[in-house]
Amino acid sequence: MSRLEELIQQLCPDGVEYKALREIANVSIGEFVRKDKQSPDAPYPVFNGGTSNTGFYDEYNRTANKIIISARGANAGFVNRVFTDFWSGNSCYTIDVTDPSVSWDYLYYWLKSREKKLLGEQQKGGIPAVSKKQVEEFLTPAPPLEVQQEIVRILDQFTELTAELTAELTAELTARKKQY
C-alpha cells in the first residue's frame, strides 16, 4: 500500500468533502494594461487570456504564488500558476487561496487536472469565455492537508521526471536530425 493510500485510509475513511472554489479562495479579475505601456525590459510579466505572459510591465497588481485561469479568448479556462509578482490583465482570473487548510499547489494540480472541463464549459459567442461565477462554483475536493501535501509531492516528482525525459528526448531527436 502506498503512502498516499495509507493517508487516505487513515485520514479520510468516510471520503472527502467537496467545496466550491469561492469557499476556499478569492477569485478576482485583473485590470487592463495597454500594450504600448508594456516593455520587454520591465520586471513583471503580464498575464491575460492566453497560455503564457503577453509582455512585461513596470508595476504588479498580484503577488507571487497564485493560480491563474484565462477568462476570455480561445484559451478561456486554461489553468496556470505564477511564482513571481505579476500584472493580472482583464482577461485573467487570479485564484488566491484563503483557506489555510488548502495548499495552493494542491489546488493548482486539482484545477489543472480539470482544465478540459473548464475549457469545455466556455460560453460560446463572439469571444469564448468562462464566467467568474463558473470558476467560483467549481467543486474542489478538500482532503486533510497531509493528504494534499503527499499528492503534491508525487505530482512534483512526476513533473520533474517528465521535464527530464522531455529534455533527453529533445536532445536525442536533435542529434538524430544532425546525424541524418
Side-chain angles (χ1 to χ4, degrees), residues 25-180:
N26 283 331
V27 178
S28 59
I29 191 83
E31 302 169 52
F32 179 74
V33 61
R34 290 178 19 188
K35 192 71 173 167
D36 64 348
K37 298 287 184 187
Q38 298 176 41
S39 164
D41 301 324
Y44 304 107
V46 175
F47 288 92
N48 232 337
T51 59
S52 62
N53 67 302
T54 58
F56 295 89
Y57 194 48
D58 288 320
E59 299 176 34
Y60 64 91
N61 61 1
R62 301 293 189 270
T63 56
N65 300 331
K66 299 290 186 287
I67 301 163
I68 58 174
I69 298 176
S70 295
R72 287 184 281 287
N75 296 303
F78 180 81
V79 178
N80 205 349
R81 60 181 165 176
V82 184
F83 296 100
T84 62
D85 295 344
F86 66 101
W87 185 271
S88 174
N90 64 334
S91 291
C92 178
Y93 296 119
T94 301
I95 314 300
D96 188 11
V97 178
T98 56
D99 186 333
S101 69
V102 176
S103 157
W104 85 280
D105 284 318
Y106 165 78
L107 184 58
Y108 163 74
Y109 280 124
W110 168 253
L111 291 171
K112 192 69 173 172
S113 77
R114 298 295 183 247
E115 183 176 74
K116 282 187 181 180
K117 182 173 174 25
L118 283 167
L119 289 165
E121 292 180 355
Q122 290 178 354
Q123 299 166 2
K124 306 300 179 199
I127 300 175
V130 175
S131 75
K132 184 177 178 186
K133 183 178 180 183
Q134 284 175 288
V135 173
E136 289 176 327
E137 295 298 319
F138 204 80
L139 289 179
T140 304
L145 200 52
E146 196 172 349
V147 172
Q148 294 176 44
Q149 290 167 340
E150 182 64 10
I151 291 169
V152 168
R153 185 191 68 76
I154 291 166
L155 292 174
D156 280 348
Q157 283 183 335
F158 179 76
T159 301
E160 186 177 315
L161 179 61
T162 301
E164 289 173 14
L165 292 173
T166 300
E168 288 177 20
L169 183 58
T170 301
E172 179 68 25
L173 288 171
T174 302
R176 294 283 177 170
K177 284 180 183 177
K178 193 174 186 180
Q179 182 181 22
Y180 291 123

